[in-house]
Amino acid sequence: MELLCIQSQEHPELPLAELKAVMECEGISADVEVITEGLVILRNISEKDLCPYYEILTRRLGYTHEVHELIKRTSVDDFEGDVSSIDWSGYINETFAVRVKRFNAEIDTVGYERRAGSLILNNCDDIKVNLTKPKSLVRIVAFKNDLFISIERIKLNKKHFEDSKPHKRPFFYPGSMNPKLARCMVNLSRVKEGQLLLDPFCGTGGILIEAGLIGCKVVGSDIYWKMKNGTSINLDYYGITDYRTFNLDVRELKMYEKVASVVTDPPYGISTSTGDIEGEDIFKEFFKAIYDNMHDDAYLCMASPHYVDLKPMADEVGFEIIEQYGIKMHRSLTRIISVIRKKLD
């Protein structure tokens, strides 16, 4: 069986990297077929694993907009015959709508939606079309001459990422990370539900919110009491209860238990303040402080400016950089997202 993933095209690499990281940490066994940027199919999934995998992906992913069960692959020439051959009674519950999305295809989306809807109605009893609130969504994706016919089983909550933007939280401070990137970084850290995640520069708590919403225990610290307190306000607002927050300098960090992952966006640049640490020293001190607070198999995912070379600092402490992705912020700054872990003996 197969799952079809429609991904964000906001970044050329992060959506796929996030998907693979979640598959790795959650033990999702499937072959990854990249059709084109933004369209990925997970192949060779057993029937018993399909629903659990589907639930995990829709619950966790940030840069994937939709996940669907793939019913059939077809082509423009074979479209009508293949739609008619499907037993839709096993997929549609009372009402349905058809939606077509194109990737480098020239087809008439409205025309294909109407044609597919008509064919489904002609081949299935006791169902109706409902374009506003359908109980079942048939998603057809077109890429060049190929068509992928799928059904939505679990709806991915895209509205969350709009509703939880930094300025919509009870406590707001300029420069906060957007929730979609925060969720992606949490996923890149390979953390699992029930495990402990640390953000030692928690700011307004954006990373901790995303980790808490996928079921992690979270702990955050910040050198400024205002930020520590604001993080608690925001975590409470989103219904996250399994958390602790501390007001301390990262150099004083001594965790009550070792963490499964560290995800953070250390302060840098002229608009931020870092106590008495200046320039690149904040990254050096950060690596030293967190090393002994992490499990040996723990991952660190962090943001940094492009002009800071993390590799020699990480190497000196005993970390290795395994993945890096650049995000262009403006003409003079690229934000680097690094995935790091302790060196294996």
Side-chain angles (χ1 to χ4, degrees):
M1 304 187 77
E2 299 176 318
L3 288 173
L4 179 147
C5 301
I6 299 175
Q7 298 191 309
S8 166
Q9 293 175 275
E10 297 167 64
H11 192 277
E13 299 172 293
L14 280 173
L16 184 59
E18 180 192 27
L19 173 61
K20 289 181 176 180
V22 169
M23 291 176 65
E24 178 185 330
C25 72
E26 294 284 359
I28 293 178
S29 177
D31 297 326
V32 178
E33 179 184 357
V34 179
I35 304 299
T36 187
E37 183 182 333
L39 182 59
V40 177
I41 293 174
L42 305 184
R43 298 188 292 108
N44 297 324
I45 302 172
S46 68
E47 185 174 356
K48 69 177 178 63
D49 288 331
L50 187 76
C51 287
Y53 288 178
Y54 201 150
E55 188 278 329
I56 289 167
L57 296 176
T58 53
R59 178 173 57 86
R60 290 198 58 150
L61 292 173
Y63 279 122
T64 295
H65 291 165
E66 300 177 27
V67 181
H68 303 294
E69 179 185 338
L70 185 60
I71 301 172
K72 199 171 193 70
R73 301 183 188 215
T74 185
S75 65
V76 170
D77 294 337
D78 297 328
F79 175 70
E80 294 194 6
D82 282 342
V83 171
S84 298
S85 71
I86 295 168
D87 180 7
W88 289 102
S89 63
Y91 297 104
I92 294 176
N93 178 23
E94 296 182 16
T95 62
F96 76 100
V98 179
R99 295 286 182 265
V100 174
K101 184 173 180 63
R102 298 180 302 180
F103 288 85
N104 300 321
E106 300 298 325
I107 67 168
D108 174 12
T109 56
V110 175
Y112 268 74
E113 288 171 357
R114 290 175 176 169
R115 187 60 188 143
S118 177
L119 292 167
I120 292 169
L121 284 171
N122 290 339
N123 287 275
C124 192
D125 297 326
D126 302 320
I127 62 170
K128 295 179 180 180
V129 172
N130 185 326
L131 298 180
T132 54
K133 289 187 177 180
K135 291 188 176 180
S136 302
L137 175 65
V138 177
R139 170 61 89 181
I140 298 173
V141 179
F143 173 66
K144 295 184 177 178
N145 196 53
D146 296 323
L147 296 166
F148 303 87
I149 304 169
S150 62
I151 190 80
E152 181 181 70
R153 298 290 198 184
I154 306 173
K155 194 171 186 64
L156 197 149
N157 183 16
K158 293 183 288 185
K159 192 170 182 290
H160 158 72
F161 295 108
E162 179 62 34
D163 292 345
S164 62
K165 285 185 176 179
H167 68 280
K168 297 183 179 181
R169 300 171 192 158
F171 177 75
F172 169 69
Y173 194 81
S176 301
M177 180 178 289
N178 77 70
K180 198 179 288 187
L181 177 57
R183 175 67 67 88
C184 177
M185 290 178 63
V186 168
N187 284 326
L188 288 173
S189 79
R190 277 74 169 170
V191 70
K192 292 193 280 190
E193 182 178 0
Q195 292 183 328
L196 183 62
L197 178 144
L198 165 70
D199 181 355
F201 302 99
C202 63
T204 63
I207 287 169
L208 300 181
I209 291 169
E210 297 307 317
L213 289 173
I214 65 169
C216 297
K217 298 183 291 182
V218 297
V219 58
S221 66
D222 203 284
I223 195 169
Y224 297 105
W225 180 89
K226 177 181 178 181
M227 295 300 187
K228 175 263 183 195
N229 190 53
T231 287
S232 297
I233 292 170
N234 285 340
L235 289 170
D236 289 339
Y237 178 78
Y238 286 97
I240 296 162
T241 58
D242 199 347
Y243 76 85
R244 294 188 185 185
T245 55
F246 300 96
N247 172 213
L248 55 80
D249 188 310
V250 67
R251 292 168 292 184
E252 301 168 358
L253 187 66
K254 289 182 174 58
M255 290 295 296
Y256 51 90
E257 65 175 289
K258 291 192 176 186
V259 302
S261 79
V262 177
V263 182
T264 196
D265 183 15
Y268 48 85
I270 59 174
S271 64
T272 59
S273 179
T274 56
D276 63 348
I277 313 176
E278 296 182 354
E280 296 185 10
D281 287 344
I282 191 170
F283 297 98
K284 295 177 183 177
E285 296 296 332
F286 163 66
F287 282 130
K288 293 175 184 176
I290 63 166
Y291 186 87
D292 289 331
N293 289 292
M294 297 170 61
H295 284 298
D296 288 342
D297 59 352
Y299 281 80
L300 157 67
C301 184
M302 63 178 291
S304 63
H306 69 276
Y307 51 79
V308 175
D309 185 2
L310 295 179
K311 189 176 186 308
M313 296 182 246
D315 286 343
E316 181 181 347
V317 176
F319 286 112
E320 60 179 339
I321 298 172
I322 61 171
E323 301 171 38
Q324 285 189 311
Y325 308 96
I327 303 174
K328 189 78 171 177
M329 305 302 292
H330 47 75
R331 186 166 57 183
S332 61
L333 176 65
T334 296
R335 175 186 263 168
I336 304 299
I337 306 300
S338 300
V339 182
I340 301 167
R341 67 182 175 194
K342 290 185 176 182
K343 291 181 179 178
L344 302 177
D345 294 332

